[in-house]
Amino acid sequence: MAGNLLKNIGHLMAGSFARSMIMVVFTIYIIRVISVQDFGIYSTVLAFSAITTAFVNFGLDTYLTREASRERDVFIPLLKAVTKARFLLFALSEVLLYALLKVLGYPEEVILLTLVFAFDPLLCFLLDSIYSILYIEGRTHPVALAEFGKRALLLIFVLFTARYGLFWIVVSYIVADLIVLAFLYIDYRKLVKNFPRGSGVPLREVLRKSLPFSLQTLTGLFFWNVDIMMVSKLLGAVATGFYNVGATIFKAIYFIPQSFGSVLFPKMSEAHHEGNLERLRGPILESTKSLLLIAVGIVLYSQTSLPYYIPLLFGDKYAPAMKLMGPMSLIVLFYFPAFIGQNLLMAIGREKEAVNTLVFANIANFVLNLIFIRLFGLLGAVYGTVVSQALFLGATVYYLRDVLPKVLPPMELARGLVWGTLAWVLTALAVLWLENYVKPDWADNLYFLTLYLLYKTGIIKVEGFRI
């Protein structure tokens, strides 16, 4: 089982890493093709499309995965009800999005682009419904291929369409999603052909039971986009473009905790349903330790090397984004472990507590951004988001205070973190010294060597993933 867990996590990380790298290349390409003003508009469209994402998601995938991991027979009838709910919620979100953008006074171009781009999250969540059963059945390689494929196709299409304007970039998203959805649906049909069809599930019941998950999703998406929305409104499109360069880089690595969470969540739900959550002590400990040590490495890398690459990748006109990299990297220190904690809260039926943590963090994020952007400009958005992420992690740990001692022994976690952090600090010092003699891209290889040694020396134990 240890091998299966790591193999599935590896599939998702490989596919998501490839997808993220493609999106970095995609962003670099469109930045060089379109103007700073247009990239700011594009960033604004992405931020507001999160509203559609929240509605179409509605926590339906989390609810579907949790219930089907406990009883496979409910998957088909639940999936049918979930799909109907998605289209209903999508129509509602389009109306609300149009009204919101009108009230805020955005130009017609931004409104049109946002409403068209909203089809992308709809199609992505139709894909996620299929992913649910693949996660439960332990078949993550089709998910990895689909995630890679939809963004590889997007990049290919945009190479031909970007020069014609933002509208055709948006259309490229939708066409790529449709192609991948069609191919994955064929694999899905083969997988579930022997599943019992069961009796229908009322749409109202699905919406009612997924409501706690939807509140968690809605507050979570707002949490991740409030900084960009406020930068857009308070500092304008150009500043939004600078800020989104940093956000794009760090969002590209959020697949790391998501890969762990996607594999562990069905197992945690099943173990809790059986009353034996303690059997996941090893996987939860090693996942948390691995994520924290990776986060420490990312922070030190962002302090020493990452700013060097910003002008090289995005062009000299985005050099102001260099100063954001170091402070913005601190977000991952809190987000990575908090993601596992949020999955654990939902797996054990504490959706209300998960919502409470995000409501608290959202209020803090909004207030801190409002204050700090006025005081520190663009860096203020970074400071506000980092502090709110720390509060988010603290609130998550508080609601898990009775569960964590069973699945996350503090001394074992601390021992690995101390030695691992020391290794990263020595690596960062060595990189700074080497950069006096060689180019940063050569010196940076030490970070990858250290990550390999953390596993090789047993600081991160592969056997710990055994159930």
Side-chain angles (χ1 to χ4, degrees):
M1 183 61 74
N4 287 339
L5 283 179
L6 283 176
K7 181 180 72 173
N8 289 337
I9 291 171
H11 285 156
L12 291 182
M13 289 188 69
S16 299
F17 175 77
R19 178 200 64 196
S20 297
M21 293 304 99
I22 288 172
M23 289 308 294
V24 170
V25 174
F26 166 84
T27 304
I28 292 169
Y29 177 73
I30 64 169
I31 279 175
R32 291 180 176 273
V33 172
I34 65 179
S35 67
V36 175
Q37 176 76 16
D38 279 349
F39 185 66
I41 294 172
Y42 169 77
S43 302
T44 302
V45 169
L46 288 182
F48 277 102
S49 71
I51 294 173
T52 299
T53 301
F55 272 89
V56 176
N57 185 341
F58 205 74
L60 293 167
D61 290 320
T62 307
Y63 171 67
L64 179 62
T65 303
R66 191 180 74 175
E67 297 305 309
S69 67
R70 297 173 177 178
E71 187 180 354
R72 302 291 196 277
D73 291 356
V74 304
F75 178 75
I76 295 294
L78 267 181
L79 179 61
K80 291 178 179 177
V82 162
T83 304
K84 292 176 184 177
R86 287 207 196 284
F87 282 101
L88 175 65
L89 293 166
F90 171 73
L92 177 62
S93 71
E94 289 282 79
V95 173
L96 292 176
L97 196 56
Y98 176 80
L100 176 63
L101 291 169
K102 274 291 189 181
V103 169
L104 292 175
Y106 278 94
E108 292 297 325
E109 178 191 12
V110 174
I111 295 174
L112 174 63
L113 289 171
T114 306
L115 294 178
V116 174
F117 189 81
F119 283 89
D120 175 64
L122 171 64
L123 295 170
C124 286
F125 281 114
L126 291 175
L127 273 170
D128 281 353
S129 293
I130 299 177
Y131 293 170
S132 295
I133 193 61
L134 294 172
Y135 291 142
I136 293 167
E137 295 295 316
R139 297 186 63 222
T140 52
H141 59 281
V143 178
L145 288 172
E147 286 297 292
F148 165 76
K150 69 181 181 182
R151 293 316 180 213
L153 286 172
L154 170 64
L155 179 60
I156 292 170
F157 293 154
V158 163
L159 291 175
F160 298 97
T161 60
R163 70 192 67 177
Y164 298 110
L166 291 177
F167 179 79
W168 291 105
I169 293 175
V170 169
V171 170
S172 298
Y173 271 94
I174 297 166
V175 174
D177 292 341
L178 283 169
I179 293 172
V180 172
L181 179 60
F183 276 99
L184 193 65
Y185 183 74
I186 296 171
D187 187 62
Y188 157 79
R189 293 290 297 176
K190 295 177 183 177
L191 179 64
V192 303
K193 66 179 180 180
N194 295 322
F195 275 40
R197 292 309 186 249
S199 56
V201 178
L203 181 61
R204 182 178 296 180
E205 179 184 346
V206 169
L207 292 173
R208 179 178 60 82
K209 289 187 175 180
S210 62
L211 181 60
F213 297 107
S214 73
L215 294 174
Q216 195 266 354
T217 302
L218 179 62
T219 49
L221 286 168
F222 184 74
F223 185 47
W224 283 111
N225 290 280
V226 65
D227 49 352
I228 294 179
M229 290 179 182
M230 294 184 72
V231 169
S232 171
K233 197 64 182 172
L234 296 176
L235 300 179
V238 173
T240 306
F242 291 147
Y243 188 86
N244 201 38
V245 165
T248 297
I249 289 175
F250 289 106
K251 285 180 180 178
I253 58 174
Y254 290 166
F255 72 86
I256 298 174
Q258 290 165 0
S259 298
F260 281 82
S262 295
V263 172
L264 285 176
F265 179 71
K267 302 299 180 186
M268 290 190 291
S269 298
E270 184 180 356
H272 175 69
H273 184 64
E274 296 170 353
N276 189 20
L277 193 61
E278 288 82 355
R279 72 185 177 95
L280 289 176
R281 175 187 176 112
I284 292 175
L285 169 64
E286 293 305 321
S287 295
T288 305
K289 189 198 305 179
S290 301
L291 289 172
L292 280 168
L293 288 176
I294 292 170
V296 171
I298 290 170
V299 169
L300 291 172
Y301 175 76
S302 301
Q303 305 292 333
T304 59
S305 304
L306 182 57
Y308 164 80
Y309 295 99
I310 299 302
L312 293 178
L313 293 174
F314 300 100
D316 291 336
K317 60 186 177 182
Y318 285 93
M322 294 172 66
K323 65 181 180 181
L324 303 178
M325 295 301 102
M328 194 176 281
S329 68
L330 295 172
I331 292 171
V332 302
L333 274 179
F334 308 110
Y335 172 67
F336 278 21
F339 189 86
I340 296 296
Q342 288 287 301
N343 273 269
L344 184 54
L345 279 173
M346 292 184 290
I348 64 177
R350 297 186 182 179
E351 299 87 21
K352 181 180 178 182
E353 286 80 358
V355 172
N356 289 343
T357 62
L358 282 161
V359 169
F360 168 65
N362 264 307
I363 295 171
N365 199 13
F366 178 80
V367 173
L368 290 172
N369 269 276
L370 189 63
I371 296 171
F372 288 169
I373 289 175
R374 295 183 186 279
L375 291 176
F376 306 108
L378 203 52
L379 274 172
V382 179
Y383 299 152
T385 303
V386 169
V387 174
S388 61
Q389 283 283 354
L391 295 172
F392 174 49
L393 175 60
T396 302
V397 170
Y398 173 78
Y399 282 119
L400 287 171
R401 63 191 183 281
D402 59 323
V403 177
L404 288 180
K406 302 175 185 177
V407 296
L408 198 63
M411 291 308 297
E412 291 184 46
L413 178 63
R415 193 180 304 118
L417 289 179
V418 168
W419 288 110
T421 301
L422 178 61
W424 281 125
V425 170
L426 292 174
T427 301
L429 293 173
V431 167
L432 288 173
W433 178 76
L434 275 177
E435 285 179 353
N436 293 318
Y437 305 99
V438 298
K439 290 183 178 180
D441 51 340
W442 283 97
D444 291 349
N445 290 320
L446 286 180
Y447 283 105
F448 299 103
L449 177 62
T450 299
L451 183 61
Y452 171 75
L453 291 175
L454 289 176
Y455 283 90
K456 199 68 177 175
T457 58
I459 292 176
I460 298 174
K461 300 175 183 176
V462 173
E463 274 300 304
F465 285 90
R466 186 174 301 280
I467 298 178

